[in-house]
Amino acid sequence: MAVDYAVIVVYLVGMLAMGWWGMRRAKSKSEFLVAGRRLGPWMYSGTMAAIVLGGASTIGGVGLGYTHGLSGAWMVFSIGLGLLALSIFFSARIARLKVYTVSEMLDLRYGGRAGVISGIVMWAYTLMLAVTSTIAYATIFDVLFDLNRTVAIILGGAIVVAYSTLGGMWSITLTDMVQFVVKTIGVLLLLLPIAVVKAGGFSEMKARLPHEYFTPFGIGGETIFTYVLIYTFGMLIGQDIWQRVFTARGDKVARWGGTVAGTYCLLYALAGAVIGTAAKVLYPNLGSADDAFATIVKEELPMGVRGLVLAAALAAVMSTSSGALIACATVANNDIWSRLRGVTGRAGDGGGTGHDDHDEVRGNRLFILVMGVAVIAIAIALNNVVEALTVAYNLLVGGLLVPILGGLLWKRGTVYGALSAVIVGGGAVVGLMAAYGILANEPIYYGLLASLAAHVIVSLATKPTDEAVLAAWRLRLAGEGGTDEETVGEKAVPVG
């Protein structure tokens, strides 16, 4: 394993080096939180694919393939569909808003007063998303170094917190691009063909497994519907995803770069399911389906290649973890703490220059550090990744889907309708999870319907949004009225 260890150590040291490089570049709020809004199509596509394809998509996707065959691709496939929908229909408008958070968008659209409540819901989602990614370190480091679970979480979490705190979105962008390349080589180009060959090819796999393993809907129609409802719609509204959209240097980059990333996700989904199916042939009696990825890597891959593929799994976990962490810290600082202190600026305003910029970067850096420590502590205390992830997405979709899409698509929606949708939808989801169980389908079904009913009824019963607010909103959607410090200083150089 010496060669495999060397590959992993070089990879981890490289992540920290990129954090140091990002620290030298991130001198303003815009640079630190959204990479100066200047990513080109190639870098934007790679980093967007990296953040949405995390440990759940890699280890969990292979596990679903182990249990259900090719139809196990539906979870990750739903993520790809959501990214395609976001990129084609909404990303251009989102990028033109020149904001930093989803709550700022809600304030722009509804005329304020929606920020703190929506910020709390979004913060809870991003926090739990970061926790689930951090828990996944334990699985990978256990395979690599046979480490204690707590030590593994602290080690992996500390590396992500370090490079995220140092350079913000610039460090995360560069590391995500490397992680995208490592994942592509490790999972798609190496593990996929090797797994199929080791299992005897598709003909042997079909001969040894039930027919249901090779049907597109074998996992069940209700499960597929739930995946689409949670993950496809979750991709449309998550702060971690929107914050990446904000890094695009223009609406065309956001649209086409995101479309490429979404298409890549569909391929990755199928690859994970095929690898899991091959693992079922090779190891039919594993104690847990989530062990399929680690087992096939450890037992079937040659020295060196094994280290690269494990680095790919580590890359998948780190990219989602770092993206969720900076999103969590951004929401906590800009949408909750600043508003509670009464320090609010114009949405999308990059702030001042010089000392003000330095203070803003320092404040956001401190929040990443604090949130990172909290994430590591919670990850050590929790055991069930699936339950934590389900809570996160149920809160997000049940509480925020309707007011966000309603704001983008329905002129008659009001701030009171939006607040009602957040409170009723979020409360219904929490109550129904307590009644039916966290993993039940009913909480998201009924919670979403309750949120929609509250938004429509309260909006129609209250005074329409002021025309001046809507006029300002239309200007921002057209790309006018938002500012960042790089637009008033030296002209920024596009990247990627």
Side-chain angles (χ1 to χ4, degrees), residues 79-99:
I79 292 173
L81 291 177
L83 187 51
L84 285 172
L86 173 72
S87 302
I88 294 171
F89 299 112
F90 300 106
S91 63
R93 281 182 280 181
I94 293 171
R96 287 195 294 264
L97 289 173
K98 290 288 193 296
V99 295

Side-chain angles (χ1 to χ4, degrees), residues 163-210:
Y163 74 70
S164 301
T165 301
L166 287 172
M169 187 60 81
W170 270 123
S171 295
I172 293 171
T173 295
L174 191 56
T175 54
D176 277 1
M177 196 63 198
V178 174
Q179 289 158 357
F180 169 74
V181 173
V182 171
K183 278 192 288 192
T184 301
I185 296 173
V187 175
L188 295 184
L189 301 184
L190 292 176
L191 182 58
L192 174 61
I194 290 173
V196 172
V197 170
K198 291 285 187 177
F202 282 104
S203 58
E204 180 68 15
M205 291 162 64
K206 288 184 176 180
R208 295 182 59 180
L209 293 174

Side-chain angles (χ1 to χ4, degrees), residues 116-365:
V116 173
I117 294 177
S118 61
I120 291 172
V121 174
M122 188 63 76
W123 174 77
Y125 156 72
T126 53
L127 179 70
M128 295 307 293
L129 186 62
V131 166
T132 58
S133 301
T134 304
I135 291 173
Y137 296 135
T139 301
I140 299 169
F141 279 105
D142 177 56
V143 174
L144 285 172
F145 306 117
D146 195 25
L147 288 177
N148 172 271
R149 177 183 182 274
T150 299
V151 174
I153 289 173
I154 293 173
L155 176 60
I159 293 170
V160 169
V161 172
Y163 74 70
S164 301
T165 301
L166 287 172
M169 187 60 81
W170 270 123
S171 295
I172 293 171
T173 295
L174 191 56
T175 54
D176 277 1
M177 196 63 198
V178 174
Q179 289 158 357
F180 169 74
V181 173
V182 171
K183 278 192 288 192
T184 301
I185 296 173
V187 175
L188 295 184
L189 301 184
L190 292 176
L191 182 58
L192 174 61
I194 290 173
V196 172
V197 170
K198 291 285 187 177
F202 282 104
S203 58
E204 180 68 15
M205 291 162 64
K206 288 184 176 180
R208 295 182 59 180
L209 293 174
H211 173 71
E212 291 75 18
Y213 266 70
F214 301 92
T215 59
F217 305 107
I219 198 171
E222 183 177 356
T223 299
I224 293 172
F225 178 74
T226 303
Y227 282 157
V228 171
L229 193 62
I230 294 177
Y231 295 114
T232 300
F233 285 109
M235 286 294 106
L236 298 180
I237 58 175
Q239 169 68 24
D240 52 323
I241 309 302
W242 277 42
Q243 200 156 341
R244 293 311 174 95
V245 175
F246 301 152
T247 66
R249 72 166 178 246
D251 51 8
K252 290 184 178 179
V253 170
R255 180 184 292 114
W256 295 111
T259 300
V260 170
T263 304
Y264 178 90
C265 292
L266 302 183
L267 298 175
Y268 200 87
L270 184 59
V274 171
I275 293 167
T277 305
K280 184 67 176 179
V281 172
L282 294 168
Y283 311 100
N285 299 312
L286 290 178
S288 170
D290 285 341
D291 293 336
F293 179 87
T295 301
I296 197 169
V297 169
K298 193 172 184 178
E299 301 297 333
E300 303 297 336
L301 298 185
M303 178 180 62
V305 173
R306 180 171 52 217
L308 183 60
V309 174
L310 287 172
L314 199 57
V317 174
M318 283 186 160
S319 56
T320 299
S321 180
S322 59
L325 177 58
I326 194 172
C328 178
T330 302
V331 171
N333 188 16
N334 292 269
D335 291 338
I336 301 175
W337 177 245
S338 293
R339 293 169 189 266
L340 292 177
R341 290 192 305 146
V343 181
T344 56
R346 184 162 53 89
D349 190 351
T353 57
H355 185 66
D356 290 339
D357 279 340
H358 176 73
D359 288 345
E360 292 233 49
V361 171
R362 184 174 60 184
N364 282 290
R365 184 173 280 137

